[in-house]
Amino acid sequence: MTEKSRTPWRMAPVFAAIALLSAPMSGPSSALAQPKPSPAAAAAQSEARPAAGRSYEVTFRQLGALFPLQLRGVQGTGGVQFGVRGDEVVTRARLHLNYAYSPALLPEISHLRVLVNEQVVATIPVPNEQGGQALQRVIDIPTRLIGEFNRLNVELIGHYTMDCEDPAHTSLWANVGNDSRLELSVDPLALANDLAFLPEPFFDRRDYRPLTLPIVFAGTPDAAQLEAAGTVSSWFGALAGFRGASFPAAVGQIPAKGHAVVLALGAQGVPGLSLPASSGPSVTMASHPTDPAAKLLIIRGRDAQELKRAATALAVGAPALSGPTAMISEFKQIEPRKPYDAPNWLAKDRPVKFGELAQKEMLSVSGHAPDLIRVNFQVPPDLFAWRKQDIPVHIKYRYTPQNGADKSTLNINVNEQFLRALPLRAADYTPPSRVHSWLDRVLPAPTLAAGDLLPAEDFFNVPLFKLPARSQLQFHYFHEIKKEGACKDVLLDNVRGTVEPDSTIDITGFSHFLAMPDLAAFGNSGFPFSRLADLSESAVVLPPKPEQGDLSAYLSLMGLMGNVTGYPAHAVTVALGNGQIDALADKDLLVIASSANSPLLEQWASHLPFSLKADSKGFRLSDYASRLLNWWDPDQRDRAKPGRNAITFTSASSDAVIAGFESPLQGGRSVVLLASNQPAGLQQAVTALLTPDLLRHIQGSAAVVRGKQVDSLVAEQTYHVGQLDPVTRVQWWLSRHPLALIVLGVAAAALIAFMLYIVLRAKARARLQKG
């Protein structure tokens, strides 16, 4: 989903009234009537305060260039986008460019151009003696050219001969490494304390870096306060999107620098921060006491329930807030979410249009060598595709047609795997069909004016097995360049192509059924907790006295849940210790613990595929040799029996383990456990879940995280979640039990034979009686 497509749920009128207590401001005080002021206007109104600037670097890969930029032809272009936060101003910008170019380029008439927002900032010569070498160059970028959203392009102007040349000749190339870096030095801008800026400055969509936002508890938090904090972190996690987000926790102390969120009850205070007594649920933006450029988002209530009300109002109604403080006078109960209705997931009850998944301007390209059209989408991880057709896609597209038949195609890929190619027909193409010929006589053929795009549509299927939870459809227009002969090959830059926003992808009709545990489904989609986007059937179990590492892990995991669903987890339940664990039998459980302070690890020891103690570790391993010898056993083939191998050793390392198993409290419910023998080790597990290169190794039913290494040790699937219709359930069960199928076949054959025997014997007896 795009950031634009996530906004509707935040704008829903889910609360009846919000009273705003604001400092004197010009204009009406109503948040709905007053437009949000721009950051520049706020900076002009607020008092300028000196603050130290900072410098940071981002690579082209971090900005979205997954591969090196390939520049081809006489005028090849590639680039990346970058943004500048609204509370910062750029004081210096430098580009560290890693590049190479063809040794066949003529240096007199060839060069590379670097452009920022379509304005040239540097021209790089291409001398022959450096052709084909890996080169580096540092380029200063004038800060006056940099705005909030920016486009950095590198363009090849290439020629290989002074005579007539082929504009698509293979010697016309240059590569720009995606390890090239953009270095920015920025100074902070002092913003007014106004909730109308939300979610800025705590999250800024112009900042492509991962979000790190500390959450501070004024005092030792109880379960309700943790639920409120989880609502806030999941909201920011949903906003962060592809960037990812982490939320370091602190108790009783705000960080010395940077933005932070503070949660306080009643008269609770934080050292260095003066807070008046709370008079009800409220949300306040205040200046940081030791960092003039930073803000604090303070959420308060007289009791835990008011604190949760304020946090939920912030998560679902932030666009309506304004002024330094907003008092939540009334809040209507939010309707519970339905299964699989997460805003970031494809709807299961209707076809979803591409316009809901990508912005319209991102569905159009131009030029003979255009970039890909990308459509990102997420599917529920438990779609059951056994003996089921693949996911159908109805694509509508338009393109600039050629005058005659050629080999131009629209190539379709999913996750960089080729699916099919659709031919781009010429403007005068006539389908070889008698029906079309008859229609052409009756109805006049549509005529295209010069420059018009030819409409077309088609259907194709996407194999479900090619789709991880987060997938991308990629459309590439390939335009054949016709060879007209010497000195006749001229490329006109008038070629365009689009994928229409009303194209659809459809997952209706699929059942939901999945073998569990499946840590890959948890890591990529938060499943099974994300089945309900508000996590109303999920509970998080923390130690009776959670430490800072436990709290940080919990908040970051709630951010991950918001990231995969696109919705705040305002209905999650938090339990401290196992005193009330029986009351959570009807929920899926996310348990966060270190072995030293969690009684649940001892209580459920027989269900765990590992043991972690202060001085020793033990793991159960999959027994692959036994599975090969017992291939006929469906439980062994489907890994439904525990592994027989085990290993125990002594170590002082802070390893972390992520494990999944069926809830001991109720069948069909799931438990996912994050545990470490030391509290600091939990951060390793969270980091692995937030790092794509490590996340792909988290699979099966147990994975151990050791620093930057992740190993899946056990892959035991012991139960299933979801439902199948009775006929499909019987067919699927028989497919997993071939011996039972053989026995049933023999029994059916015997029964049919016996019935035939009875019938034939009766006929023979009747014939004898007649004789």
Side-chain angles (χ1 to χ4, degrees), residues 563-627:
N563 182 280
V564 298
T565 63
Y567 191 81
H570 62 82
V572 68
T573 301
V574 174
L576 300 179
N578 60 346
Q580 299 178 345
I581 194 68
D582 293 337
L584 306 176
D586 60 340
K587 295 182 180 292
D588 296 306
L589 303 180
L590 177 58
V591 181
I592 302 172
S594 59
S595 59
N597 62 1
S598 177
L600 274 182
L601 294 185
E602 297 181 3
Q603 182 177 338
W604 289 351
S606 60
H607 301 274
L608 302 178
F610 68 92
S611 64
L612 289 179
K613 299 181 180 179
D615 57 350
S616 66
K617 306 175 180 67
F619 298 97
R620 188 171 70 229
L621 308 177
S622 295
D623 190 355
Y624 294 105
S626 175
R627 300 191 197 289

Side-chain angles (χ1 to χ4, degrees), residues 36 80 90 141 225 236 306 448:
K36 291 190 177 183
V80 294
V90 178
I141 300 175
Q225 290 176 266
F236 279 109
E306 286 191 350
L448 291 177

Side-chain angles (χ1 to χ4, degrees), residues 516-518 609 620-623 627 635-636 638-644 660-661 700-702 713-719:
M516 296 288 283
D518 188 342
R620 188 171 70 229
L621 308 177
S622 295
D623 190 355
R627 300 191 197 289
D635 289 335
Q636 291 285 7
D638 293 335
R639 306 172 187 177
K641 287 184 178 179
R644 302 189 304 173
F661 52 94
S701 58
L713 300 183
V714 188
E716 314 293 349
Q717 295 175 331
T718 58
Y719 65 103

Side-chain angles (χ1 to χ4, degrees), residues 7 126 412 435 460 611 646 651 761:
T7 56
V126 288
I412 302 173
V435 175
F460 65 91
S611 64
S651 173
R761 184 171 181 179

Side-chain angles (χ1 to χ4, degrees), residues 396-727:
K396 300 178 182 179
Y397 56 103
R398 296 183 300 133
Y399 59 92
T400 302
Q402 300 293 335
N403 292 328
D406 62 5
K407 298 180 181 178
S408 300
T409 57
L410 174 59
N411 301 316
I412 302 173
N413 303 271
V414 59
N415 300 323
E416 301 176 7
Q417 299 183 56
F418 178 76
L419 284 181
R420 63 175 301 185
L422 304 177
L424 301 181
R425 307 296 187 184
D428 56 354
Y429 172 75
T430 302
S433 168
R434 294 183 179 179
V435 175
H436 283 86
S437 299
W438 179 82
L439 288 175
D440 289 340
R441 298 192 198 101
V442 178
L443 301 175
T447 58
L448 291 177
D452 284 354
L453 302 182
L454 182 66
E457 61 181 299
D458 210 325
F459 295 86
F460 65 91
N461 292 325
V462 180
L464 189 58
F465 71 88
K466 288 181 177 288
L467 296 182
R470 304 188 184 196
S471 298
Q472 184 182 84
L473 280 172
Q474 299 146 344
F475 303 92
H476 176 247
Y477 276 96
F478 166 73
H479 299 282
E480 182 184 16
I481 301 176
K482 296 183 178 180
K483 303 298 181 182
E484 302 291 345
C487 299
K488 294 183 180 180
D489 293 334
V490 179
L491 290 181
L492 299 178
D493 190 16
N494 63 348
V495 179
R496 293 179 294 156
T498 70
V499 172
E500 295 300 286
D502 57 346
S503 303
T504 60
I505 182 170
D506 187 2
I507 63 169
T508 59
F510 282 87
S511 299
H512 294 271
F513 192 72
L514 182 66
M516 296 288 283
D518 188 342
L519 292 182
F522 167 72
N524 289 286
S525 300
F527 191 84
F529 311 102
S530 55
R531 189 178 71 90
L532 289 164
D534 57 4
L535 269 63
S536 56
E537 292 187 4
S538 302
V540 181
V541 181
L542 291 165
K545 296 181 179 179
E547 302 182 19
Q548 184 173 346
D550 301 311
L551 298 177
S552 298
Y554 159 70
L555 294 173
S556 294
L557 286 174
M558 290 300 98
L560 176 63
M561 295 300 165
N563 182 280
V564 298
T565 63
Y567 191 81
H570 62 82
V572 68
T573 301
V574 174
L576 300 179
N578 60 346
Q580 299 178 345
I581 194 68
D582 293 337
L584 306 176
D586 60 340
K587 295 182 180 292
D588 296 306
L589 303 180
L590 177 58
V591 181
I592 302 172
S594 59
S595 59
N597 62 1
S598 177
L600 274 182
L601 294 185
E602 297 181 3
Q603 182 177 338
W604 289 351
S606 60
H607 301 274
L608 302 178
F610 68 92
S611 64
L612 289 179
K613 299 181 180 179
D615 57 350
S616 66
K617 306 175 180 67
F619 298 97
R620 188 171 70 229
L621 308 177
S622 295
D623 190 355
Y624 294 105
S626 175
R627 300 191 197 289
L628 291 175
L629 294 175
N630 298 281
W631 62 269
W632 50 270
D633 185 348
D635 289 335
Q636 291 285 7
R637 286 199 320 273
D638 293 335
R639 306 172 187 177
K641 287 184 178 179
R644 302 189 304 173
N645 294 339
I647 182 173
T648 302
F649 59 93
T650 301
S651 173
S653 63
S654 59
D655 299 342
V657 176
I658 306 174
F661 52 94
E662 188 173 19
S663 174
L665 305 177
Q666 181 173 313
R669 287 294 183 178
S670 301
V671 176
V672 174
L673 171 64
L674 273 75
S676 175
N677 58 338
Q678 299 178 23
L682 290 176
Q683 184 58 39
Q684 297 183 16
V686 174
T687 301
L689 290 168
L690 297 177
T691 306
D693 291 339
L694 299 179
L695 177 60
R696 59 190 178 91
H697 297 294
I698 299 178
Q699 301 177 3
S701 58
V704 60
V705 182
R706 295 172 290 176
K708 294 184 178 181
Q709 181 177 347
V710 178
D711 297 294
S712 181
L713 300 183
V714 188
E716 314 293 349
Q717 295 175 331
T718 58
Y719 65 103
H720 293 79
V721 296
Q723 294 182 347
L724 297 175
D725 62 86
V727 175

Side-chain angles (χ1 to χ4, degrees), residues 187-264:
D187 282 345
L189 289 175
L191 302 181
N193 294 326
D194 192 346
L195 295 172
F197 291 136
L198 287 175
E200 299 176 23
F202 308 97
F203 165 76
D204 195 318
R205 62 193 180 99
R206 291 159 290 207
D207 191 346
Y208 296 122
R209 295 167 300 164
L211 173 66
T212 300
L213 181 62
I215 294 183
V216 181
F217 298 94
T220 302
D222 58 15
Q225 290 176 266
L226 290 172
E227 291 171 0
T231 299
V232 175
S233 63
S234 62
W235 175 56
F236 279 109
L239 295 172
F242 66 89
R243 303 165 185 82
S246 59
F247 302 91
V251 178
Q253 183 176 5
I254 60 176
K257 285 188 175 183
H259 308 299
V261 177
V262 179
L263 289 90

